Amino acid sequence: SLPAKLINGGIAGLIGVTCVFPIDLAKTRLQNQQNGQRMYASLSDCLIKTIRSEGYFGMYRGAAVNLTLVTPEKAIKLAANDFFRHHLSKDGKKLTLLREMLAGCGAGTCQVIVTTPMEMLKIQLQDAGRIAAQKKLMAAQAQLSSSPAAAEPAVEARTTATQITRELLRSKGIAGLYKGLGATLLRDVPFSIVYFPLFANLNKLGQKDPNVKAPFYVSFLSGCVAGSTAAVAVNPCDVIKTRLQSLQRGVNEDTYSGILDCTKKIWQREGPTAFFKGAYCRALVIAPLFGIAQVVYFIGIAEFLLDMLPKHRA
């Protein structure tokens, strides 16, 4: 049922995000740093420096936004894919690869309603620590090169998602929350086109009978493999999306007017390899996230809970 699908998608998203959020934070910071202003050398270096400067919970900056909005996002994504697969199938026959890709395209298009504002707010909070650390480093260098009274390190003003939302709505209206919508579509639609058909076909390999669900470990591994493959494939689009959605910039960092301008500047100033910044972090985030999501979704926790309600009332 649709309510069960929505509950399953929400539970899957909450569990997955909680497990992998620190890696996602490192991915955002690695993707946003530009040549000449590099604060972090790798995933582990980023996490260690984050803990030292911001404490353990610094790794979960922006997690509240994600945990709040990931339930409708994952619910829409998984339920929409099922909806399109159902309507694209003819008399219950097996879907062709093209129709599976079309179903994934539909799911990716639907989810951006929630994904775009969620990602935009999350990126501001995740990247705030990097920008603050960069400013402190620049201030410390200025002190060493001049008098001790020069440039005191600025105290970071902690902003919240609510403050950012209010400011964007006040200054730009609802369009402010959808900054980077085109880049989000450019990432999520191809991701879903790759992910859902790949997952469905890998999962079928573990089914002994077409009418029987595959074992949970098959769904988990299929979700991991399909998720990490799709994540790496669309990482260049994710880098562009992250750069475009960042409202604040570090010292001497480029600003961008759109997708083409961002692509051109990254290519010219940082080289083609810059489009794969954070690719392994993204694979590490997406693999368990979608593995967990598919296990929860296919086990059907919601069906169990909904079935128990009448018994409990009785």
Side-chain angles (χ1 to χ4, degrees), residues 60-278:
Y60 282 88
R61 291 187 68 170
V65 175
N66 233 33
L67 290 171
T68 301
L69 296 178
V70 76
T71 299
E73 188 229 18
K74 285 291 176 288
I76 290 171
K77 188 185 190 82
L78 295 172
N81 181 65
D82 273 4
F83 173 83
F84 287 115
R85 287 179 70 90
H86 173 72
H87 284 277
L88 286 169
S89 62
K90 292 182 177 179
D91 302 323
K93 293 181 180 179
K94 182 182 177 181
L95 284 172
T96 63
L97 179 60
L98 177 60
R99 288 178 181 270
E100 288 183 331
M101 293 171 72
L102 286 173
C105 177
T109 304
C110 289
Q111 78 170 86
V112 297
I113 298 169
V114 177
T115 303
T116 304
M118 177 185 76
E119 288 275 312
M120 203 275 297
L121 293 171
K122 181 194 72 172
I123 284 169
Q124 314 318 313
L125 299 173
Q126 284 183 329
D127 205 38
R130 180 187 71 89
I131 294 172
Q134 189 185 92
K135 288 179 179 178
K136 288 178 182 178
L137 179 62
M138 297 292 287
Q141 290 174 347
Q143 278 187 312
L144 290 174
S145 60
S146 60
S147 63
E152 288 292 328
V155 177
E156 180 192 355
R158 291 268 178 154
T159 56
T160 65
T162 304
Q163 291 172 331
I164 297 170
T165 302
R166 285 176 180 170
E167 177 59 28
L168 285 171
L169 289 174
R170 185 188 64 79
S171 61
K172 300 181 180 179
I174 194 69
L177 292 174
Y178 282 86
K179 180 180 173 66
L181 174 62
T184 305
L185 278 167
L186 197 62
R187 181 198 68 172
D188 287 347
V189 172
F191 178 92
S192 295
I193 289 173
V194 173
Y195 172 77
F196 283 110
L198 183 56
F199 169 79
N201 286 282
L202 289 173
N203 198 54
K204 282 177 187 174
L205 297 177
Q207 290 179 278
K208 295 180 179 178
D209 187 303
N211 298 316
V212 178
K213 290 180 180 179
F216 79 92
Y217 63 87
V218 173
S219 293
F220 176 76
L221 291 174
S222 298
C224 288
V225 173
S228 58
T229 302
V232 173
V234 302
N235 196 76
C237 300
D238 189 55
V239 172
I240 294 168
K241 182 198 74 67
T242 300
R243 296 279 182 95
L244 289 175
Q245 288 187 320
S246 297
L247 299 176
Q248 289 187 318
R249 301 288 177 191
V251 181
N252 300 323
E253 289 185 346
D254 290 326
T255 56
Y256 311 103
S257 60
I259 294 173
L260 293 177
D261 180 56
C262 182
T263 304
K264 181 181 177 182
K265 286 180 178 177
I266 292 174
W267 183 278
Q268 290 178 343
R269 300 175 188 181
E270 301 174 59
T273 56
F275 289 105
F276 287 91
K277 281 184 176 180

